[in-house]
């Protein structure tokens, strides 16, 4: 058995009046994330971690943001595809850990549903996916509420 690790990082800008999609669920907020897809920054970080673990490139390579077929796409579709790509290479997901950095809104109450949602998309037990949230103490672009960032780390094995 070979064990492999991957990391992912993503950032999207916050804009007033857009829907906020995070971890595969819609969250009520004054602002939402701007992007070619639904801009789910957490899912994008997880996709990159999965692809990275299997040395399959990155999310921009697989789902180019100038491709009209991905315009406004539900990022859960991209995540499902990334799961299939690593399965096609013979890998299984051991576990996923992740962090969302956002000053607002408060994400703690939403984390259980995000975990359930993403576990279902990837067809893994909910205990194998961890999602954490932190503010940045009003520092940096996340702290100024200009954007939200996310980090993910995964372990896969064959
Ligand atoms: Mg992105």
């Amino acid at each position: 058995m070979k064990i492999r690790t991957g990391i992912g990082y993503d950032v999207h800008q916050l804009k007033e009046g857009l829907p906020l999609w995070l971890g595969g669920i819609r969250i009520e907020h004054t602002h939402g994330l701007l992007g070619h897809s639904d801009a789910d920054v957490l899912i994008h970080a997880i996709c990159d971690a999965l692809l990275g673990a299997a040395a399959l490139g990155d999310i921009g390579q697989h789902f180019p943001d100038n491709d009209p077929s991905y315009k406004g796409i539900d990022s859960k579709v991209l995540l499902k595809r990334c799961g299939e790509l690593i399965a096609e290479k013979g890998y299984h997901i051991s576990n996923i850990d992740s962090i969302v950095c956002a000053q607002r809104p408060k994400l703690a109450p939403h984390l259980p549903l995000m975990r359930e949602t993403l576990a279902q998309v990837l067809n893994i037990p909910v205990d194998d996916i961890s999602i954490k949230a932190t503010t940045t103490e009003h520092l940096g672009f996340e702290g100024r509420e200009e954007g939200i960032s996310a980090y993910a780390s995964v372990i896969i094995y064959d």
Side-chain angles (χ1 to χ4, degrees), residues 17 33 45 51 85 94 106 119 134-135 151:
L33 294 170
L51 293 171
L85 284 167
S94 170
K106 250 211 158 344
T134 185
T135 70
Y151 300 81

Side-chain angles (χ1 to χ4, degrees), residues 93-111:
I93 294 168
S94 170
N95 75 298
I96 298 171
D97 190 16
S98 61
I99 311 177
V100 183
C101 306
Q103 194 62 44
R104 279 192 327 132
K106 250 211 158 344
L107 296 176
H110 303 289
L111 301 182

Side-chain angles (χ1 to χ4, degrees), residues 41-126:
V41 68
L42 173 58
I43 288 188
H44 295 179
I46 293 172
C47 285
D48 255 0
L50 287 168
L51 293 171
L56 283 170
D58 62 38
I59 190 171
Q61 241 171 281
H62 290 272
F63 315 108
D65 66 4
N66 54 10
D67 183 335
S69 64
Y70 299 121
K71 179 95 187 96
I73 197 171
D74 180 342
S75 292
K76 292 192 284 298
V77 174
L78 310 183
L79 180 62
K80 193 173 179 51
R81 183 66 194 131
C82 288
E84 288 164 358
L85 284 167
I86 71 155
E88 282 162 19
K89 269 194 110 175
Y91 297 119
H92 308 275
I93 294 168
S94 170
N95 75 298
I96 298 171
D97 190 16
S98 61
I99 311 177
V100 183
C101 306
Q103 194 62 44
R104 279 192 327 132
K106 250 211 158 344
L107 296 176
H110 303 289
L111 301 182
L113 183 57
M114 289 184 194
R115 289 178 63 207
E116 263 174 55
T117 303
L118 299 191
Q120 212 163 29
V121 170
L122 288 169
N123 201 20
I124 59 172
V126 75

